[in-house]
Amino acid sequence: MELRGKAWKYGDDVDTDAIIPARYLNTSDPAELAKHCMEDIDTSFAASAAKGDFIVAGKNFGCGSSREHAPIAIRAAGVSAVIARSFARIFYRNSFNMGLPILEAPEAVDEIAAGDLLAVDMGAGVLRNETKGKEYRFTPIPPFMQELVAAGGLMNFMTTKRKGEGA
Amino acid sequence: MGMTLSEKILAEKAGRPSVSPGELVMAKVDLALGNDVTSPIAIKAFRAAGAKKVFDRGKIALVADHFTPNKDIASAEQVRTMREFAREQGILHHYDVGRMGIEHVLLPDEGIVGPGDLVIGADSHTCTYGALCAFSTGVGSTDLAAAMVSGEVWLKVPETLRIVLTGRPGKWVEGKDVILHIIGKIGVDGALYRSMEYAGDGIAHLPMAWRFTMTNMAIEAGAKNGIFPFDEVTRAYADARSKRPYKVFSADPDARYADEIRVDLSSLEPVVAFPHLPENTRPVSQAGNVPIDQVVVGSCTNGRIEDLRSAAEVLRGRKVHDGVRMIVFPATQEIWLQAVREGLMEVFVEAGAAVSTPTCGPCLGGHMGILARGERAIATTNRNFVGRMGHPESEVYLSNPAVAAASAVLGRIGGPDELGRRER
């Protein structure tokens, strides 16, 4: 799976209130949530993000609440993957459970600037910064997580597995 | 090789003789929790998967606490989605307005979660129940949907950070100060993916309410769960509350810990976390002159009767400062009534504070106490992120209930020792 787009760069500890403020949690409609994605720290993101773009951030991305509205808003905003130094754990599992690709690539994160054009091959574990002409390898995600993403999330994974077991 | 507390419980629930950090297990849940914000997404996923019946209607809790009493039409629709699902499925533990409370205070008090349980909840503060020597952790709505279908959850066995508590805390130092001190020391990702397991003879000085506050904020250090060993304090609480038999687990003497930190409780003073991360802690004596507009006492972190008593003790015979709005949120109906019976409500109202029905409202900037641009609040809640309680240019400071009440009187952030004489 090759993903291509430009980078939106943020700092450390981007929390779920920054990704989608709680005042918008009175709906779970993806398109509505996408309109307010990153609003409190970047008013331009929701209006300007293009399909395929990446969110690139520092450590502990997605800390705070368990709201799945956060990865839902990011995906509905058109983002193809989130690249960070590290992820908060509930955001991490939510992303895989709903099929949003995320990857940890600390070295690449340090050298990516806002607007850089990136290409990511999830299966091969390769990230290319086309603007800077540099290539990075990242640890491919664990096999169980790959299965989740390939199935399109946890519920599809479970349904397929249950059928497979004849249950 | 020996196992930690969390490993012991996970091994049992995964049906294995032992587990070790890094392993992925499918484990059986004793309770799966959702609220009015997270369960509508789970219900949608449940239906999309073609599921017809939940795995066990007695092992699911649905609590309407975030935007209730219904904040607006959209919220009302979400609460209705949850209510209709609860009725359709015959969910035994469904709590609506009038019987509800803030989930993480309500469920232990109702005896629905107990020692030795494995609990998951589509709310990050589900880690609260670790105070009862249970393994409990926050997950997302899809995890909740999957658990409602199968009764199972996938979990990576976490490494464990051992936190050894010694000494006895001094006056005005509460559980909130201990956990804020720890987060200040290790940072908001200082326990990322890890279990925070408490140990040491200092634990004996921590009442149950303080332990709940400390495990509640494990997520604020990035942890998967926080957990206390079982002792006589746990036993007294569980025996009085638990609706079913419980099982006591203990860590093996040769358990392996990834790391260890030590905290001398006698050396602590009340702590305030400055904007915009819970790790930005300072002793209240070094807070400087920070005028405030609003004070919030309540939430799943500090909305228990002990917290209200602490705030009332400070407020008794004193007045909330001119220009400061103080709002008190008892966490459950039971606590609300207890506060009436003990005369705490009189203290709050005579001091000039407002008292609300239970809700998560202001803590997450949902409703019932939103901040305007540039306003500052000190709150006994758990997060002080940008825009957490309202406008992105407002500020939230975190403290224990006594410091919050003292600040309400002072009109600026300060501790109870700075207050003058009571009126009578």
Side-chain angles (χ1 to χ4, degrees):
Chain A
M1 174 170 53
E2 163 130 328
L3 312 167
R4 280 174 62 86
K6 69 174 194 304
W8 292 79
K9 185 88 189 266
Y10 301 101
D12 290 339
D13 304 310
V14 172
D15 60 77
T16 51
D17 283 282
I19 298 168
I20 181 74
R23 58 185 177 275
Y24 302 119
L25 300 186
N26 56 5
T27 178
S28 56
D29 174 33
E32 196 54 41
L33 293 169
K35 281 187 207 162
H36 305 290
C37 191
M38 311 303 278
E39 182 175 289
D40 284 1
I41 58 167
D42 181 355
T43 48
S44 68
F45 175 82
S48 314
K51 193 162 172 51
D53 283 357
F54 296 91
I55 286 178
V56 180
K59 72 171 178 77
N60 202 27
F61 184 86
C63 63
S65 139
S66 70
R67 63 189 69 156
E68 211 157 298
H69 310 67
I72 290 174
I74 288 173
R75 193 171 62 179
V79 168
S80 60
V82 183
I83 303 163
R85 291 185 68 87
S86 65
F87 291 92
R89 63 160 282 276
I90 306 179
F91 183 89
Y92 184 86
R93 67 182 292 137
N94 280 349
S95 299
F96 286 109
N97 281 344
M98 58 161 291
L100 172 71
I102 62 175
L103 59 111
E104 294 184 347
E107 194 197 342
V109 163
D110 290 346
E111 297 179 5
I112 292 169
D116 282 0
L117 190 65
L118 311 177
V120 172
D121 186 331
M122 291 299 290
V126 175
L127 185 163
R128 232 172 30 254
N129 184 335
E130 299 191 341
T131 305
K132 299 232 164 48
K134 286 194 78 167
E135 196 168 277
Y136 310 85
R137 303 200 74 81
F138 57 88
T139 315
I141 53 178
F144 175 71
M145 309 291 184
Q146 283 185 26
E147 285 181 54
L148 285 183
V149 173
L154 179 64
M155 295 309 279
N156 289 343
F157 174 79
M158 271 189 29
T159 317
T160 325
K161 193 169 141 239
R162 279 160 74 217
K163 276 190 193 131
E165 286 168 357
Chain B
M1 193 189 32
M3 290 189 282
T4 67
L5 258 179
S6 294
E7 289 160 12
K8 277 275 187 72
I9 299 174
L10 287 175
E12 164 104 359
K13 304 297 174 183
R16 293 197 192 181
S18 71
V19 295
S20 49
E23 273 185 86
L24 215 58
V25 298
M26 287 301 284
K28 291 200 179 337
V29 303
D30 294 294
L31 193 83
L33 160 75
N35 58 49
D36 53 307
V37 164
T38 58
S39 66
I41 296 179
I43 292 164
K44 202 159 134 189
F46 179 90
R47 299 212 191 283
K52 295 283 180 282
K53 274 281 168 206
V54 297
F55 82 104
D56 185 335
R57 67 195 189 99
K59 291 187 175 177
I60 292 165
L62 297 174
V63 185
D65 59 1
H66 274 57
F67 288 147
T68 55
N70 298 341
K71 170 201 179 191
D72 53 22
I73 295 170
S75 308
E77 296 293 347
Q78 294 200 129
V79 178
R80 184 169 67 180
T81 299
M82 188 171 87
R83 182 184 304 121
E84 288 177 352
F85 181 79
R87 283 186 185 151
E88 168 199 307
Q89 297 288 327
I91 302 294
L92 296 184
H93 309 302
H94 169 233
Y95 296 93
D96 219 328
V97 171
R99 291 183 170 77
M100 54 70 77
I102 297 174
E103 52 203 34
H104 307 308
V105 180
L106 181 74
L107 300 190
D109 274 6
E110 289 287 310
I112 293 166
V113 297
D117 282 355
L118 171 61
V119 183
I120 60 157
D123 187 279
S124 61
H125 292 108
T126 303
C127 48
T128 309
Y129 319 129
L132 287 171
C133 197
F135 183 94
S136 69
T137 189
V139 296
S141 295
T142 302
D143 281 306
L144 171 61
M148 288 200 300
V149 176
S150 69
E152 292 187 323
V153 62
W154 67 267
L155 292 168
K156 193 162 101 174
V157 179
E159 291 186 324
T160 298
L161 166 65
R162 188 165 184 255
I163 303 172
V164 182
L165 307 175
T166 58
R168 179 193 288 268
K171 181 79 176 156
W172 304 123
V173 173
E174 303 181 3
K176 183 64 159 287
D177 304 296
V178 183
I179 187 63
L180 283 178
H181 170 81
I182 291 167
I183 296 167
K185 194 165 162 158
I186 67 176
V188 290
D189 60 351
L192 193 61
Y193 298 103
R194 288 180 165 180
S195 171
M196 295 168 79
E197 181 179 314
Y198 292 97
D201 54 15
I203 289 177
H205 304 299
L206 305 176
M208 210 56 234
W210 293 10
R211 299 182 189 188
F212 281 123
T213 303
M214 290 169 64
T215 47
N216 171 272
M217 290 189 71
I219 179 70
E220 263 53 75
K224 184 165 209 152
N225 69 317
I227 192 164
F228 272 87
F230 186 94
D231 65 5
E232 288 313 307
V233 173
T234 334
R235 187 188 305 281
Y237 181 91
D239 287 351
R241 300 274 178 177
S242 194
K243 291 231 175 20
R244 52 186 161 82
Y246 58 83
K247 184 166 176 181
V248 177
F249 291 86
S250 54
D252 291 324
D254 59 343
R256 267 225 311 230
Y257 295 92
D259 229 326
E260 178 176 300
I261 59 171
R262 303 181 73 84
V263 178
D264 175 6
L265 301 176
S266 68
S267 71
L268 302 184
E269 65 166 294
V271 171
V272 175
F274 276 52
H276 289 285
L277 286 175
E279 70 185 21
N280 295 335
T281 54
R282 295 186 203 174
V284 67
S285 58
Q286 291 165 38
N289 182 25
V290 183
I292 49 165
D293 303 286
Q294 181 168 295
V295 176
V296 171
V297 171
S299 83
C300 59
T301 310
N302 281 122
R304 296 178 180 80
I305 191 70
E306 293 84 350
D307 300 316
L308 302 190
R309 285 179 193 142
S310 175
E313 185 187 340
V314 172
L315 282 183
R316 198 180 300 276
R318 297 192 169 108
K319 295 282 185 213
V320 171
H321 197 272
D322 255 0
V324 173
R325 309 163 325 247
M326 179 168 180
I327 318 172
V328 181
F329 293 80
T332 66
Q333 293 285 96
E334 181 190 329
I335 294 167
W336 208 98
L337 194 54
Q338 183 65 23
V340 171
R341 290 181 175 144
E342 293 184 17
L344 308 183
M345 292 301 197
E346 267 183 74
V347 174
F348 293 133
V349 174
E350 285 178 355
V355 184
S356 159
T357 191
T359 178
C360 306
C363 171
L364 74 160
H367 63 149
M368 300 289 287
I370 304 299
L371 300 175
R373 181 197 298 266
E375 286 191 332
R376 280 199 201 99
I378 185 164
T380 66
T381 56
N382 43 57
R383 291 189 178 132
N384 54 354
F385 300 152
V386 169
R388 176 71 180 179
M389 204 173 268
H391 195 280
E393 287 167 42
S394 61
E395 291 182 344
V396 180
Y397 296 71
L398 306 175
S399 76
N400 77 27
V403 169
S407 303
V409 174
L410 293 165
R412 60 170 172 82
I413 293 176
D417 290 337
E418 297 178 55
L419 296 174
R421 290 163 58 93
R422 298 176 199 267
E423 281 174 29
R424 68 178 104 185

